[in-house]
Amino acid sequence: MKILAKQFGAAPKAEAIALALFEKEDIAKNPLFRLLPNNVQALVKKFISGGGFSGKESETKVLPIFETSLKKIILLGRGDKQKWHRRKALLIPRRVIQTAKQERVKTIATHLDMLGDNSEAHSSARDITTNMLMAYFEYRRKVMPKDGWPEVKEVTLLCEKKDAKAATEGIREGNIIGEETNETRILSNTPGGEMTPATLADAARRAGKKHGVRVTIFDEKKMKALGFGGVLGVGKGSDIPPCFIVMEYRHGGKQKPLVLVGKGVTFDTGGLNLKPSEGIYEMHLDMSGGAAVIHAVSAIARLKLPLNVVGLVPAVENMPSGSSYHPGDLLKTYSGKTIEVLNTDAEGRVILADALAYAKKFNPLLVVDIATLTGAAMGALGQRVSALFTQNQKLEKIFRELGTQSGDEMWPLPLWDEYDADIQATFGDIANIAKTKYGGAITAASFLKQFVDGYPWVHLDIAPTMTTIESQHLAKGASGVGVRFFVELAKHIVKNGISV
Ligand code: BES
Ligand code: ZN
Ligand code: ZN
């Protein structure tokens, strides 16, 4: 799918025109509408005045046009202008593509200001492109139907002459972010039988080679030498050995790096504390944080952002077997602290313990971990927003704003030291589950906090947003959460630095 920007001029040559409108908005003022032939304009006006379309939120109408090369007008309701916000805006480009696919439209023209938020041409074009690519994506492993898969070949974004250049640049950026988000979704959606720690490492190697990022993989031997008892402990039950992926993008001179840490559990059975049948089939997605880190680093490299970024992904399969780690095991981590394993299904925090402690080695500016860590985060927030944990008020504010801006929304939960009491161990230093059954997302975050060594840190629990939900106008499966946010964060750091 190719997206391009063009200035308003002659009537666009496309099979379909998509127009997004607020309730009561006068379509006659829309510059794209005004390019249409008079008879088509009259037809659309008649359709609207006859009650065919009112601009209600999420109302989508397709109006067939006969006897012209223009075959369809797609009208998309934006609802009440006063109630408009960013989350709704980013759905518009997705709705356009979803409708084009359903209608089997191959070429489409639409307007650059479809987001309805007066944002500038560059960012509008970027966000439209990213979200169109996300909506176009499907993870398919089926036989192709006789008439092929729906294919959208070209989308033209019409804009004012003065905006065309910025829009073209925005499209370039949006393509990179959208492609890397979809690459993340491919890795995540890959079934557990095919996605192993080795496969994930290969994906990182390939991405590194393609985009000029240095990739180092620690094997079991290296991890033993380093003392990564957490990763090695969780990995014991699997026939496939764990590994530890390090990606280094250096484009910021001597500045301290942004370190991204992603949970890479390629399948989470729960281990000896085996998960019940409900939900286990989705646990191939438990490496979504790791996939997001791999492709966020790739996106940042492709955008050539002038900063240093390090990606760390402990990759492991959590399996029950004769060689599995046991409830009650005491694992010595890279930090020197021991973890008392009281539940083998709380494995994510165990592998992240090594990664967070190892992050210190890079003298980080900021460490952000991203993990499908707890079902409890979903219990607290539902499936529309990730959980955000930090003790730093400034970072909390920045992350929330960048989350909204990027579309990867996040909402804070407390990380008070009082919660530390809940993860006290008997024989080891820290227990991997809490004494209480309440506040599981918070106690998991408190556990991670024990391995953070003096640097600014934010934890993102993306279990809530791991998969798409229907109202998001995306294909079922992995959402690709994290990539859009990390690019936005990297750009923020380049522009403003991080003062904490
Ligand atoms: N990978 C899961 C968390 C998860 C659950 C992610 C559902 C996405 C959807 C994690 O490893 C886990 O099993 N956590 C346990 C922790 C418990 C044993 C303290 C959980 O959330 O139940
Ligand atoms: Zn688990
Ligand atoms: Zn897990």
Side-chain angles (χ1 to χ4, degrees):
M1 186 172 66
K2 188 173 165 47
I3 303 178
L4 42 103
K6 258 194 198 152
Q7 68 190 70
F8 292 114
K13 286 190 186 62
E15 278 173 44
I17 299 283
L19 288 164
L21 296 162
F22 288 112
E23 262 165 9
K24 302 195 187 90
E25 184 174 338
D26 183 3
I27 194 167
K29 290 197 177 127
N30 186 298
L32 174 53
F33 178 78
R34 290 159 79 148
L35 294 182
L36 300 179
N38 286 341
N39 58 338
V40 177
Q41 285 194 18
L43 216 102
V44 177
K45 276 188 178 158
K46 199 171 152 205
F47 181 69
I48 292 176
S49 60
F53 175 80
S54 64
K56 275 201 308 280
E57 197 183 313
S58 57
E59 178 186 17
T60 305
K61 288 282 164 68
V62 181
L63 187 59
I65 309 286
F66 299 100
E67 291 158 23
T68 58
S69 58
L70 172 64
K71 302 233 160 16
K72 283 167 185 173
I73 305 276
I74 301 169
L75 298 170
L76 305 135
R78 291 193 287 209
D80 184 346
K81 194 170 183 178
Q82 306 305 318
K83 294 186 184 156
W84 195 237
H85 55 62
R86 184 78 178 155
R87 297 190 301 284
K88 293 182 189 174
L90 295 181
L91 297 180
I92 298 284
R94 297 183 186 177
R95 285 168 60 192
V96 170
I97 296 304
Q98 198 184 41
T99 312
K101 277 162 75 180
Q102 280 160 4
E103 298 288 323
R104 295 217 165 226
V105 164
K106 286 196 165 60
T107 53
I108 189 156
T110 185
H111 47 124
L112 180 65
D113 67 348
M114 68 163 76
L115 300 179
D117 58 1
N118 297 322
S119 48
E120 53 185 40
H122 181 276
S123 65
S124 283
R126 183 197 59 192
D127 298 339
I128 290 170
T129 303
T130 300
N131 283 279
M132 282 190 168
L133 259 64
M134 288 171 74
Y136 191 49
F137 172 87
E138 272 176 56
Y139 185 74
R140 294 191 185 99
R141 299 280 291 263
K142 314 176 192 181
V143 174
M144 188 165 76
K146 279 202 184 70
D147 50 351
W149 304 113
E151 196 184 3
V152 183
K153 286 199 168 135
E154 195 173 281
V155 180
T156 309
L157 302 179
L158 287 146
C159 61
E160 303 295 335
K161 188 176 175 196
K162 66 171 175 37
D163 291 332
K165 198 164 163 259
T168 300
E169 178 50 31
I171 291 170
R172 190 190 73 85
E173 205 176 302
N175 269 315
I176 292 175
I177 302 168
E179 281 164 17
E180 295 302 328
T181 300
N182 291 343
E183 288 295 328
T184 306
R185 293 163 82 189
I186 292 176
L187 288 184
S188 292
N189 282 328
T190 302
E194 297 167 36
M195 176 53 66
T196 67
T199 328
L200 197 61
D202 280 345
R205 266 197 214 100
R206 245 181 298 122
K209 210 167 192 180
K210 215 160 140 191
H211 310 306
V213 176
R214 193 169 132 194
V215 177
T216 318
I217 312 292
F218 298 166
D219 60 6
E220 267 183 310
K221 197 171 149 218
K222 172 78 178 173
M223 287 195 283
K224 268 184 199 143
L226 285 168
F228 283 8
V231 185
L232 291 166
V234 174
K236 270 173 64 183
S238 171
D239 289 342
I240 300 146
C243 65
F244 191 90
I245 302 164
V246 183
M247 296 180 82
E248 288 171 87
Y249 167 70
R250 301 268 172 199
H251 205 59
K254 290 205 164 60
Q255 283 165 37
K256 291 180 172 184
L258 164 67
V259 179
L260 307 177
V261 178
K263 172 176 171 182
V265 175
T266 58
F267 198 86
D268 182 11
T269 63
L272 292 178
N273 292 104
L274 192 65
K275 282 185 182 295
S277 26
E278 185 209 335
I280 195 171
Y281 74 96
E282 276 191 336
M283 282 302 125
H284 61 294
L285 299 171
D286 211 19
M287 34 55 76
S288 296
V293 167
I294 293 169
H295 287 291
V297 175
S298 302
I300 290 165
R302 286 178 69 187
L303 293 167
K304 299 193 170 62
L305 298 183
L307 82 164
N308 296 322
V309 183
V310 175
L312 303 177
V313 181
V316 55
E317 190 183 42
N318 188 21
M319 296 295 270
S321 76
S323 58
S324 293
Y325 77 141
H326 309 71
D329 277 358
L330 294 159
L331 305 176
K332 185 151 183 183
T333 61
Y334 180 75
S335 66
K337 292 181 185 172
T338 51
I339 297 172
E340 189 167 306
V341 178
L342 295 179
N343 189 318
T344 59
D345 195 13
E347 83 299 336
R349 63 196 77 180
V350 176
I351 64 169
L352 291 174
D354 281 332
L356 286 171
Y358 189 69
K360 176 77 175 172
K361 203 179 103 50
F362 296 91
N363 188 24
L365 172 75
L366 167 67
V367 177
V368 186
D369 78 78
I370 179 163
T372 48
L373 205 63
T374 66
M378 299 172 83
L381 295 172
Q383 290 191 277
R384 289 185 162 80
V385 60
S386 306
L388 158 66
F389 296 88
T390 178
Q391 289 190 323
N392 185 301
Q393 302 276 302
K394 275 193 198 162
L395 286 174
E396 180 181 306
K397 186 166 178 287
I398 293 168
F399 272 54
R400 274 193 60 188
E401 284 170 8
L402 297 178
T404 300
Q405 187 55 31
S406 65
D408 283 335
E409 294 273 1
M410 44 193 77
W411 200 262
L413 289 176
L415 190 61
W416 302 337
D417 291 336
E418 288 92 313
Y419 289 98
D420 295 352
D422 296 342
I423 45 165
Q424 262 171 18
T426 308
F427 306 108
D429 293 303
I430 304 123
N432 82 328
I433 56 164
K435 294 190 177 99
T436 162
K437 63 179 178 182
Y438 301 114
I442 304 171
T443 47
S446 304
F447 175 97
L448 297 180
K449 181 160 68 75
Q450 313 305 316
F451 299 91
V452 171
D453 190 357
Y455 48 73
W457 166 68
V458 183
H459 160 55
L460 302 175
D461 190 335
I462 54 160
T465 51
M466 175 176 88
T467 57
T468 61
I469 55 172
E470 207 172 308
S471 58
Q472 290 166 340
H473 303 280
L474 297 173
K476 274 191 186 153
S479 68
V481 57
V483 176
R484 287 180 294 162
F485 170 76
F486 285 139
V487 169
E488 212 56 38
L489 176 65
K491 285 175 79 171
H492 177 92
I493 290 173
V494 168
K495 205 166 156 208
N496 310 294
I498 284 273
S499 60
V500 289

